[in-house]
Structure formats: C-alpha cells, structure tokens
Amino acid sequence: MAIHLRSAEELEKMHRAGLIVWDVLNALRQLVKPGLSTMDLEKFAEQKIAGLPGQPAFKGYRGYPCVLCTSVNSEIVHGIPSPKCTLRAGDIVSVDFGMVVDGYYADSAVTIPVGSIAPELQKLLDVTREGLDRAIDKMRVGNRLGDVGHAVQSWVEQNGFSVVREFVGHGIGTKMHDEPNLPNYGEPGRGARLQEGMVIAVEPMVNAGKPAVRMRDEWTAETADGSPSAHFEHTVAVTASGPWILTRPRDVTGPSW
Ligand code: MF3
Ligand code: CO
C-alpha cells in the first residue's frame, strides 16, 4: 500500500540497471533506419545484453514474448517485435526497454524517427519529449503527483495533442510496477506528496489526435482514430538535490532524450 523510499545504495543498484537500459536504447537510436524490421531491433537488443549482468524485465512478464516493446506510428505502447513489421522512411517507432539487475528494475522508452519524418510528426516527438522534461522537473521533494501529471497534460494540450489515460507512469524498484500510479494528467496540488527516495517511471504517451485507445491484439494498444502516438520514459528518483534520471549516465545532461 505504501510508496517505497529507496536508500542511496538501492538507487545505485537501480542506476546500474538504468545504465544498461540507456546503452541499449541509445544504440537503437543510432541503429534505426528504413528497411529494418522491429524483430531486427529485438535481436540487436538481445545481443547487446548477452553476457551483461541482470535480465531483461519484460520478457516473460505476464507472458510477454520479447525484451523490447516496439510500437509503430499509431501504436501507442506494447507493440510486439515482428519480422513482418518493416520500418519505412517517415515512420516513428517507440521502443520501450527494461532491465532488472540484482533485484532492482529500471524502465525507459524513446520514440525514434525512421529516416526523415514529416514536420508534424517531429513536433509530436518534440512535444512529448518536452512533456517528459517538464514532468521530471516537477519530481522534487514537497511537490505532489498532480503537479507532475498537470505539467505533462497542460503542455501537451496547449500544443494541440492529447494524453493517453489508459496507461500511466508507475513506481518502480524491486518490482517493475509498484505504487504509486502517475497519470499523465492531473491537478496541481493534488495527490501524494513526493518524498526523498521515491522512484517513478515517468512516461508520457501522447496522441496527435484524440486520446482514445483501442487494443489491436492482446498486447498492442493503438490510437482509436489512427493518429500517430509518441512515448518517452525515464526512471526518475526524487533526491534532496532534485530529480535524478536513473536511466542515463550522470554526465549526460540537458533534455531527457
Ligand atoms: N515499460 C512498460 C511499462 O512501463 C512495461 C512493458 S509491459 C511488458 O509499463 F509486458 F511488455 F513488459
Ligand atoms: Co514503464
């Protein structure tokens, strides 16, 4: 029921997992190009983590079959890699990846352009990424969960896009999904107060069109109106000195992705 508060030692363990997650996603950002299938991305990720400490967090989770989720264009989250899904220039692909190392989880996602993309799609990516930045900046002692969700929602809606309601950010630690839930909407001053040691996977999912979701198959969530959707995520700790992004190296600063 309670929200866990993690010690400095526990945060270091989550950071170890987070650095592997970042390495994989960052390498995939460089790798993605027209002609690759989403299964090619999966195979690349599997090879990259072979021999490293820990395990991929998603494979086997409630029967999920892969180490990555790859969600293309109107797919929002939890797309399953497939050799039949070939990326084409102008597509966007959201890649979500998690690791558990020594019992501690890290979870992150990035939406990657395939070749050159339309300006409106680039705006969707920029607005979603900045939504994550704005949310992370609210991850400070004394703020409330509603402040974080509101930061995302107000920014996204101001830009003419919509936030997904059915999927939310989540506490993370010794489980991938823990308390609290963090919706990408909310009212300032409402919800649980953030405390030192809380760790949350902050993950705006933004649709270019309407917010409604439908299920394409058992796993894949897509926009009901067929509009494109973007997803950026980091695992973020609340510390005395401000937000700490556990899913990237300490010396990487600036925008979240
Ligand atoms: N990263 C996803 C999340 O934050 C988890 C993927 S679900 C899985 O909820 F089943 F694919 F693992
Ligand atoms: Co997550």
Side-chain angles (χ1 to χ4, degrees), residues 18-236:
L19 291 177
I20 296 173
V21 171
W22 189 86
D23 271 344
V24 168
L25 290 178
N26 204 44
L28 283 166
R29 275 209 299 177
Q30 324 293 321
L31 179 83
V32 162
K33 59 170 193 272
L36 292 179
S37 73
T38 51
M39 183 54 79
D40 292 329
L41 309 186
E42 167 78 9
K43 294 275 179 271
F44 176 86
E46 278 197 304
Q47 281 166 23
K48 192 137 176 80
I49 60 173
L52 295 182
Q55 284 83 39
F58 303 171
K59 195 167 184 167
Y61 179 86
R62 298 187 179 179
Y64 187 75
C66 292
V67 306
L68 298 181
C69 299
T70 53
S71 308
V72 179
N73 295 337
S74 63
E75 296 172 354
I76 302 167
V77 286
H78 304 165
I80 301 174
S82 162
K84 291 185 209 148
C85 180
T86 302
L87 299 170
R88 291 172 300 190
D91 287 344
I92 55 173
V93 58
S94 302
V95 183
D96 193 340
F97 179 59
M99 284 288 290
V100 52
V101 179
D102 206 8
Y104 287 84
Y105 284 80
D107 182 8
S108 182
V110 60
T111 300
I112 306 168
V114 183
S116 96
I117 62 172
E120 186 62 12
L121 273 182
Q122 188 59 53
K123 182 185 170 197
L124 176 66
L125 269 48
D126 293 345
V127 166
T128 309
R129 197 267 305 146
E130 185 165 343
L132 174 57
D133 285 1
R134 287 170 179 243
I136 291 171
D137 189 57
K138 297 289 183 193
M139 290 282 291
R140 294 175 189 277
V141 174
N143 281 351
R144 292 179 183 272
L145 290 175
D147 298 324
V148 184
H150 178 78
V152 177
Q153 181 180 20
S154 57
W155 167 248
V156 165
E157 292 181 352
Q158 187 178 308
N159 279 282
F161 300 141
S162 62
V163 295
V164 170
R165 282 21 181 208
E166 284 82 351
F167 300 94
V168 296
H170 49 94
I172 180 168
T174 52
K175 300 193 290 188
M176 183 159 64
H177 294 129
D178 209 340
E179 292 193 41
N181 279 343
L182 173 61
N184 291 299
Y185 54 87
E187 287 177 51
R190 304 288 285 270
R193 209 178 270 286
L194 297 174
Q195 297 173 59
E196 194 177 339
M198 285 185 184
V199 185
I200 300 178
V202 183
E203 50 177 320
M205 286 148 271
V206 174
N207 297 349
K210 298 222 157 56
V213 172
R214 71 177 171 216
M215 296 304 293
R216 168 171 294 189
D217 56 43
E218 203 194 328
W219 281 102
T220 313
E222 65 181 0
T223 59
D225 63 7
S227 67
S229 186
H231 180 208
F232 287 78
E233 174 177 21
H234 274 301
T235 295
V236 182

